[in-house]
Amino acid sequence: MPHAVGSTDSSDGLNAIAQRPQESGHPTEGGALDTLVAAEQSLAAEAGEIATEAHTRIIEQQRIEAAEAAARAEREAKRWLLPVENYRITAGFGAGGSMWSNRHTGLDFAAPTGTEVMSLSSGEIIFAGYDGPYGNKIVIRHWDGTETWYCHLSRFVLRSGEVAPGEVIGRVGSTGNSTGPHLHLEVHPDGGDPVNPRSWLEDQGVNV
C-alpha cells in the first residue's frame, strides 16, 4: 500500500531516536553517582574534623578543670585555722607562774571538757599518748615541717595517720599538770624550740 504524503515508517523513527546521541551537559548515571560519593566523603571528612576538634576541646577543658581542682585541694590542705571554738585565752606564751618549771611554752585555750580539738592544718600524727605534765598529748607534723602539740586532752579521737585542716583529733580535758579544762597548744617550727603560737598563727592569717 502506498504511503501517505509526508508520513514516515514508524520503525525508521524509533531507530533514529535510539541512535540519537545524548546531549552534552547532562551527567550520566555513573557521573552522578561519583558526584554523590565524593560529596559523602567530603561530609564525612568534615564531620571527622569537627568531632576531633570537639574531642580536643573536651580534653583540654577536663585538663583545665583537673588543674584547678588540684590547686584548690592544695590550698585547702595548706590552710591554717584555730584548734578550738568558743574559747578564752587563760595563759600566754612566756608567762611565769608556779604551774610551770620555767616559762609557759604554749598558749592555753580554756573551753569546756569534751570540746572538740582540731588539727591546725594537714599533716601526720607522730605521737599520741600520755606525757607527764602535758597529760594526754598529740603531736602533728604538718606539711611545712612545723610540729604542733595538743595537750591535757580528756581523750583521743585519732592516734595515728594523716589529718586534714580542722579534722577533730581529740577532746579538751585537764589531764597532767592542769587546774582546769583547757587546751595547751605549742608550735615548734621544723620540730625545734617552741615559738609564740599567737603571733605564729597571726603570721599565717589566723586571728586568735
Side-chain angles (χ1 to χ4, degrees), residues 134-138 149-153 173 175 182-186:
Y134 291 106
N136 291 329
K137 167 183 163 184
I138 291 176
W149 298 9
Y150 309 78
C151 309
H152 306 309
L153 302 175
T175 56
H182 71 283
L183 170 70
H184 173 83
L185 175 71
E186 292 194 13

Coordinates of all heavy atoms in Angstrom, one line a residue, residues 134-138 149-153 173 175 182-186:
Y134 N 52.2 17.2 130.5 CA 51.4 17.6 129.4 C 50.1 16.7 129.4 O 49.2 17.1 128.6 CB 52.1 17.4 128.1 CG 53.2 18.4 127.9 CD1 54.6 18.0 128.0 CD2 53.0 19.7 127.5 CE1 55.6 18.9 127.8 CE2 54.0 20.6 127.3 CZ 55.3 20.2 127.5 OH 56.3 21.1 127.3
G135 N 50.0 15.7 130.2 CA 48.8 14.8 130.1 C 48.7 14.1 128.8 O 49.7 13.8 128.2
N136 N 47.5 13.9 128.4 CA 47.2 13.2 127.1 C 47.6 14.2 126.0 O 47.1 15.3 126.0 CB 45.8 12.8 127.0 CG 45.4 11.7 127.9 OD1 46.2 10.8 128.2 ND2 44.2 11.7 128.3
K137 N 48.5 13.8 125.1 CA 49.1 14.8 124.2 C 49.2 14.1 122.8 O 49.4 13.0 122.6 CB 50.5 15.1 124.7 CG 51.4 15.8 123.7 CD 52.8 16.0 124.3 CE 53.9 16.3 123.3 NZ 55.2 16.3 124.0
I138 N 48.9 15.0 121.8 CA 49.0 14.6 120.4 C 50.0 15.6 119.7 O 50.0 16.8 120.0 CB 47.7 14.7 119.7 CG1 46.7 13.6 120.1 CG2 47.9 14.6 118.1 CD1 45.3 13.6 119.5
W149 N 51.7 20.8 119.2 CA 51.4 19.9 120.3 C 50.0 20.3 120.9 O 49.7 21.5 121.1 CB 52.4 20.0 121.4 CG 53.8 19.7 121.1 CD1 54.3 19.3 119.8 CD2 54.9 19.6 122.0 NE1 55.6 19.0 119.9 CE2 56.0 19.2 121.2 CE3 55.0 19.8 123.4 CZ2 57.3 19.0 121.8 CZ3 56.3 19.6 123.9 CH2 57.4 19.2 123.2
Y150 N 49.2 19.3 121.2 CA 47.8 19.5 121.7 C 47.8 18.7 123.0 O 47.8 17.5 123.0 CB 46.8 19.0 120.7 CG 46.9 19.5 119.3 CD1 47.9 18.9 118.5 CD2 46.1 20.5 118.9 CE1 48.1 19.4 117.2 CE2 46.3 21.0 117.6 CZ 47.3 20.5 116.7 OH 47.4 20.9 115.5
C151 N 47.7 19.4 124.1 CA 48.0 18.8 125.5 C 46.8 18.9 126.4 O 45.9 19.8 126.2 CB 49.2 19.4 126.1 SG 50.7 19.5 125.0
H152 N 46.8 18.1 127.5 CA 45.8 18.0 128.5 C 44.5 17.4 128.0 O 43.4 17.7 128.6 CB 45.6 19.4 129.2 CG 46.8 20.0 129.7 ND1 47.7 19.4 130.5 CD2 47.3 21.3 129.5 CE1 48.7 20.2 130.8 NE2 48.5 21.4 130.2
L153 N 44.5 16.7 127.0 CA 43.3 16.1 126.4 C 42.6 15.2 127.3 O 43.2 14.4 128.1 CB 43.6 15.4 125.1 CG 44.3 16.2 124.0 CD1 44.7 15.3 122.8 CD2 43.5 17.4 123.5
G173 N 40.5 18.6 127.9 CA 40.4 18.0 129.2 C 41.3 18.7 130.2 O 41.7 19.9 130.0
T175 N 44.0 16.7 131.9 CA 45.0 15.7 132.3 C 46.4 16.3 132.5 O 46.7 17.3 131.9 CB 45.0 14.5 131.3 OG1 45.3 15.1 130.0 CG2 43.7 13.8 131.3
H182 N 41.3 22.8 129.6 CA 41.8 23.7 128.6 C 42.7 23.0 127.6 O 43.2 21.9 127.9 CB 42.6 24.9 129.2 CG 43.9 24.5 129.8 ND1 44.0 23.9 131.0 CD2 45.2 24.7 129.3 CE1 45.3 23.6 131.3 NE2 46.0 24.1 130.3
L183 N 43.0 23.6 126.5 CA 43.9 23.0 125.5 C 45.2 23.8 125.6 O 45.2 25.0 125.4 CB 43.4 23.1 124.1 CG 44.5 22.8 123.0 CD1 44.8 21.3 123.0 CD2 43.9 23.2 121.6
H184 N 46.3 23.2 125.9 CA 47.6 23.8 125.9 C 48.2 23.5 124.5 O 48.5 22.4 124.1 CB 48.5 23.2 127.0 CG 50.0 23.7 126.9 ND1 50.4 24.9 127.4 CD2 51.1 23.1 126.3 CE1 51.7 25.0 127.2 NE2 52.1 23.9 126.5
L185 N 48.4 24.6 123.7 CA 48.9 24.4 122.3 C 50.3 24.9 122.2 O 50.6 26.0 122.7 CB 48.0 25.2 121.4 CG 48.5 25.3 119.9 CD1 48.3 23.9 119.2 CD2 47.7 26.4 119.1
E186 N 51.2 24.1 121.6 CA 52.5 24.6 121.4 C 52.8 24.4 119.9 O 52.3 23.6 119.2 CB 53.5 23.7 122.1 CG 53.5 23.9 123.6 CD 54.7 23.4 124.4 OE1 55.7 23.0 123.7 OE2 54.6 23.3 125.6

